[in-house]
Structures are given as structure tokens and as C-alpha cells.
Amino acid sequence: MSDNFDSLRAAIPYAPLKLAALEGCRDFAAKVNEHLVSYRHDNPTHDLQNLAFKGYAQDSYLADCACPRFGSGEGKGILHSSVRGTDLFILADVTNYSLTYKVCGYTNHMSPDNHFQDIKRVISASNGKAKRINVIMPFLYEGRQHKRSGRESLDCALALQELADMGVSNIITFDAHDPRVQNAVPLIGFDSFMPTYQFLKAMVQSTPDLKIDSDHLMIISPDEGAMGRAVYFSTILGVDMGMFYKRRDYSTIINGRNPIVAHEFLGDSVAGKDVIIVDDMISSGESMLDVAKQLKERHAKRVFVCTTFGLFTDGFSKFDEYYENGYIDRIITTNLNYHDPVIYEKPYYVEADMSSFLASIIDALNHDVSIEHIMSPTEKIHKLLSRLQ
């Protein structure tokens, strides 16, 4: 926040700030709210007595909202507090499957489709009264269906266009699977933030003996799609990079995708070095674990996995097995999406807290100031590295 203090002080907030957190991310939203309250009370950028900044410093910015359901499973959005004239930020975790609802007496778990419908319900409930509507989806809805191969739907593009048509001004996400999906909505704001600094900070805190130099550390891209993340990480740390590419059987489709035949490695020797695998998500973890095993078979010293979203769709048994066999040492993921509480008992799990980062983003957007310094954490990483020397 200190880096952006002057620009915030010179700007007037777009409108009074409100956060509408859907049920799936209320714990995380509460932490974001705490940071915003702290920013504006303990280190305010404006004169709190000035009438022009009425509503700037609140004890809470959370709006009371809900999306109850009828017995048929149909739902509706309700705002129990006023959002008239506000800069409304709607927060939703579309991956939170822990929430349930009843359909004719049967229990259903919330799917990403259900969460996305709830986002639209809250937008509709604001009824044109909010001065501006911003949607924060840390995990971008349908972000993995970002391009068409054959006769397929373009779900992510359609979802973004739907939000734009409903009057959303900005869409904020993290580590989008392919940021080029923003081409579907060229006339509204679309920002995809990276948790690089938070990864490095969590890793340094959890592994004090980590040596960050080209003799002791190497960055690994698990596939071609993660190359950009790995290149940035390796460049800013000044270490070498390697990559795997997936050989797939394109004659077969299993669970909607072509199965991976093998992972082939390109790069220098990893023998005796710590390696950091960087990717946007762990879904089932099959590919990530295979890459980790191959790195250990190539005599890597320790294997760290940095992934923005830990979905763990097939549970933790395979990860437990690989940890016990020494194939993985740490898995660092953010708290941007729901995690099964059992993960906090795992000895290999490290959380990268993103609440302060998101609060900084919201505060900057509310002031309509540049967020370039937030999107590029280079300076903060250099400061962290200098403290380690």
C-alpha cells in the first residue's frame, strides 16, 4: 500500500465502497474487508472529516446479501442492505463445492454453474442502483474452456459477454488459464493478477534454508501452457528454467480430453538442485505428480509445487503417497478458492495468503488509479530477495 499511497491521496474514490460476498467465499471476503478497514482507518489517504469523503472509512464494507432457493432448486438474489450509489464489488468462488441445496428433497452440491447464476442474481438484485458493478472471480468461470477445438462451446467467452451485457464494468480474476479470453469483452475492464510474490514469500517463510541462485535452484514448467509463468519466475530470480511437454494420444478421448502418454523433459540437469514447479492449478494432480516423480528420478534435491488454485478434485491420497515416498516436499497454493479442511493437516501444504493483495487491488480500483505497480510485483520481489542476502 505504501508504494501507492501518493496516487491514492491524489485521487477521489469513484463512489462509496461496498463488497457483496457470495456465501462460497465469505471467510476470505471477511479477511479482505479487515485489510480495507485497516488501510482506511490506520493509514488513511484522505481527510476523514471532509464531507466529500463521507463513507470513505467504514467499520465494514460488507453488504448483506443472500441467494436462497425454493424447494424446486430455483434461486433468487437478495440484498438486505442498500447499495445505491456505491462502487459494488461482487466476490464469488465458483469452485466451492461444499455448499449444498435441496431439490425436491434431494441434496445437491453447488457447481460452478450454480455459483455463476448466483453472481447474476446479485447483479440483478442491485437493480441498477449501484453506480458501478465489479465482479471478482479468483477462479475464472469456465476459464479452462477458453478456445474451440472442433464442435465445442465457447463457455468462458459467453459468460464474460453475459456479465458485460448486464452492466458489469470490471472483471477481476487471478492467473487466468488463458488471459486472451478478455478479447470476448474488449470494452470493459479485465485484469488477471499473478500471485508470484505471495508464492515466494510463503516459500521463504516455510523453507528458511532455501537458496535462491542458479547453483541451487531451478524453475520448472510442467507443460507448454505454463511457460510464461515459469519464464517470469526464473528471470526475476536469476535461475535456470526447464520444461516438460505432454505427449498425448489424440486418437482417444477420456473424461473430455486426450490422455497423456508421457511427459518429456527439456532443460539442463536438475541433479542436486531444489526445483519449483509453477502452474495455474492442480485439478486431479495426475500430471503434476508425474512431473514431480520424474524430477526426483533425475536426482532433484527437493520438489516444490506452486499453484494458484489447489482444486484436488480426486482427493489427497495420491499426494499423501507421493509425499511419503519423497517425490514432493511442499505444495504452495493460495487461499483464493475453497479447500477441504483436511488439507490444513497435511505436512506438505503451505498457504499463500492473498487477502491483503486483493484488498490493495480493490482500494486502487475504487480510487480509479493505475494498478500497474500491483500487477507487476518485481520491486517487491527484489526487496524480499535483498533481505535474504
Side-chain angles (χ1 to χ4, degrees):
M1 286 298 293
S2 58
D3 296 338
N4 200 35
F5 187 85
D6 290 338
S7 61
L8 291 177
R9 185 168 54 187
I12 298 176
Y14 182 84
L17 176 63
K18 278 291 183 182
L19 307 179
L22 272 63
E23 186 178 356
C25 67
R26 284 187 179 156
D27 291 341
F28 178 66
K31 297 180 70 174
V32 174
N33 179 62
E34 288 175 7
H35 287 295
L36 284 167
V37 171
S38 175
Y39 294 162
R40 296 190 172 190
H41 280 81
D42 302 337
N43 194 25
T45 54
H46 301 294
D47 178 8
L48 303 186
Q49 305 304 316
N50 190 325
L51 187 62
F53 300 107
K54 182 181 179 181
Y56 169 76
Q58 298 289 322
D59 293 332
S60 176
Y61 298 97
L62 293 170
D64 187 2
C65 65
C67 291
R69 291 183 177 265
F70 301 101
S72 61
E74 298 166 294
K76 63 179 178 180
I78 304 175
L79 285 168
H80 295 292
S81 54
S82 175
V83 296
R84 184 182 293 275
T86 63
D87 194 11
L88 181 63
F89 288 80
I90 301 172
L91 286 75
D93 175 12
V94 300
T95 70
N96 192 338
Y97 60 89
S98 70
L99 303 180
T100 60
Y101 63 96
K102 292 285 188 179
V103 181
C104 300
Y106 294 93
T107 299
N108 273 11
H109 284 262
M110 291 280 284
S111 73
D113 293 341
N114 298 136
H115 287 293
F116 185 69
Q117 287 299 116
D118 281 351
I119 293 173
K120 294 191 293 182
R121 290 181 175 114
V122 173
I123 295 172
S124 176
S126 68
N127 200 25
K129 300 301 188 292
K131 190 172 182 181
R132 182 172 65 178
I133 297 176
N134 314 273
V135 171
I136 300 175
M137 279 189 290
F139 185 93
L140 186 62
Y141 173 70
E142 289 290 359
R144 300 173 75 180
Q145 187 54 23
H146 58 93
K147 63 182 179 180
R148 176 176 284 154
S149 299
R151 298 183 184 91
E152 292 183 347
S153 57
L154 285 171
D155 298 72
C156 190
L158 289 172
L160 294 178
Q161 288 177 353
E162 196 167 4
L163 293 179
D165 291 342
M166 294 186 75
V168 172
S169 298
N170 294 294
I171 296 172
I172 298 99
T173 190
F174 287 83
D175 203 352
H177 196 65
D178 188 342
R180 289 175 295 182
V181 295
Q182 67 186 289
N183 294 337
V185 285
L187 299 182
I188 70 170
F190 181 98
D191 292 297
S192 177
F193 295 89
M194 302 295 292
T196 313
Y197 171 73
Q198 287 75 18
F199 279 158
L200 187 59
K201 183 179 178 181
M203 194 178 309
V204 168
Q205 290 175 344
S206 64
T207 314
D209 63 339
L210 184 68
K211 295 182 179 179
I212 304 176
D213 59 55
S214 57
D215 293 327
H216 299 91
L217 185 67
M218 195 167 174
I219 306 299
I220 303 296
S221 172
D223 55 36
E224 309 93 304
M227 276 288 289
R229 302 176 187 88
V231 168
Y232 176 76
F233 220 133
S234 63
T235 301
I236 202 167
L237 296 182
V239 300
D240 293 331
M241 189 201 83
M243 71 161 287
F244 285 83
Y245 71 90
K246 298 174 181 176
R247 249 189 326 119
R248 294 182 180 272
D249 179 5
Y250 288 99
S251 64
T252 307
I253 297 178
I254 299 177
N255 294 329
R257 62 179 182 173
N258 303 110
I260 299 168
V261 177
H263 288 94
E264 306 290 351
F265 182 67
L266 299 174
D268 293 334
S269 173
V270 299
K273 294 183 180 181
D274 290 331
V275 294
I276 301 174
I277 308 172
V278 184
D279 207 356
D280 62 334
M281 73 178 75
I282 290 177
S283 185
S284 65
E286 177 186 347
S287 296
M288 188 69 73
L289 292 173
D290 186 47
V291 165
K293 182 179 179 181
Q294 289 202 41
L295 288 168
K296 289 298 287 187
E297 290 173 349
R298 288 177 165 81
H299 308 294
K301 182 181 177 184
R302 292 180 294 188
V303 176
F304 303 93
V305 176
C306 287
T307 181
T308 307
F309 301 104
L311 304 181
F312 303 102
T313 55
D314 288 351
F316 301 101
S317 59
K318 201 71 175 177
F319 291 90
D320 294 342
E321 176 190 337
Y322 272 56
Y323 174 74
E324 291 167 3
N325 291 334
Y327 295 133
I328 56 174
D329 291 85
R330 293 282 189 277
I331 295 178
I332 300 98
T333 70
T334 72
N335 57 345
L336 289 169
N337 67 290
Y338 170 78
H339 291 140
D340 187 327
V342 74
I343 195 174
Y344 300 106
E345 303 169 5
K346 303 299 180 183
Y348 50 80
Y349 174 71
V350 177
E351 182 175 273
D353 183 17
M354 301 293 289
S355 58
S356 177
F357 185 30
L358 181 54
S360 299
I361 294 168
I362 293 172
D363 200 28
L365 288 173
N366 180 236
H367 283 80
D368 263 351
V369 298
S370 172
I371 56 174
E372 182 179 356
H373 74 287
I374 299 176
M375 297 191 72
S376 178
T378 304
E379 185 178 346
K380 293 172 71 175
I381 292 176
H382 284 158
K383 287 181 180 179
L384 177 61
L385 294 177
S386 65
R387 292 198 295 268
L388 298 176
Q389 294 175 351

